[in-house]
Amino acid sequence: MLEESGFVGVRMGEPVDTFGGAQGEARARSFEVAGCAFLARKPA
């Protein structure tokens, strides 16, 4: 989707547990939810 929006050099980081200790942690675990960082740039 980022590339279709015109971004280049798209990179995706490793999955990170962003729900540890949160109220919805059990639900997130049941759906194997994780957060990922994205890095991209828009050409000039």
Side-chain angles (χ1 to χ4, degrees), residues 6-8 41-44:
F7 287 91
V8 296
R41 63 181 179 85
K42 187 85 168 180

Side-chain angles (χ1 to χ4, degrees), residues 32-44:
E32 299 181 13
V33 175
C36 293
F38 290 87
L39 177 66
R41 63 181 179 85
K42 187 85 168 180

Side-chain angles (χ1 to χ4, degrees), residues 1-21:
M1 182 183 296
L2 288 171
E3 291 167 335
E4 292 172 2
S5 299
F7 287 91
V8 296
V10 178
R11 300 173 93 182
M12 184 172 132
E14 295 294 321
V16 177
D17 177 11
T18 57
F19 296 96

Side-chain angles (χ1 to χ4, degrees), residues 24-34:
E25 180 179 4
R27 289 188 303 274
R29 297 250 181 271
S30 68
F31 289 99
E32 299 181 13
V33 175

